[in-house]
């Protein structure tokens, strides 16, 4: 939520408002660093696949859409 844009090597990313529509339209949502401003439970319910690199979803009852690194 803190960076507006990332441009490293051949990667060009920009921050977008995290809406349910955007989350549902993604093939996968990558949670690389958990931030308090994100509702992880809501992301897990809304995303087709949530890749959780930090095990932020550990306490969730339903993790059927979650893959943990």
């Amino acid at each position: 939520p803190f960076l507006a844009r990332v441009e490293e090597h051949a990667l060009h990313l920009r921050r977008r408002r995290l809406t349910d529509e955007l989350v549902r339209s993604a093939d996968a949502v990558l949670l690389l660093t958990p931030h308090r401003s994100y509702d992880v439970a809501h992301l897990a319910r809304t995303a087709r696949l949530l890749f959780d690199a930090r095990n932020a979803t550990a306490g969730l009852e339903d993790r059927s859409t979650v893959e943990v690194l």
Side-chain angles (χ1 to χ4, degrees):
F2 303 114
L3 297 174
R5 185 177 304 265
V6 172
E7 294 188 20
E8 278 296 317
H9 308 286
L11 185 65
H12 303 282
L13 303 173
R14 65 180 172 86
R15 182 176 59 208
R16 295 185 58 191
R17 186 163 183 252
L18 196 60
T19 64
D20 287 353
E21 182 180 358
L22 182 63
V23 171
R24 281 189 204 103
S25 70
D27 293 328
V29 174
L30 291 91
L31 183 61
L32 303 177
T33 302
H35 290 281
R36 291 184 191 143
S37 59
Y38 296 135
D39 182 347
V40 176
H42 183 73
L43 285 174
R45 286 190 307 271
T46 308
R48 288 190 248 179
L49 173 65
L50 176 62
F51 180 81
D52 180 4
R54 305 293 288 186
N55 203 23
T57 58
L60 298 183
E61 189 173 310
D62 180 9
R63 294 175 65 185
S64 59
T65 62
V66 176
E67 289 292 329
V68 179
L69 175 64

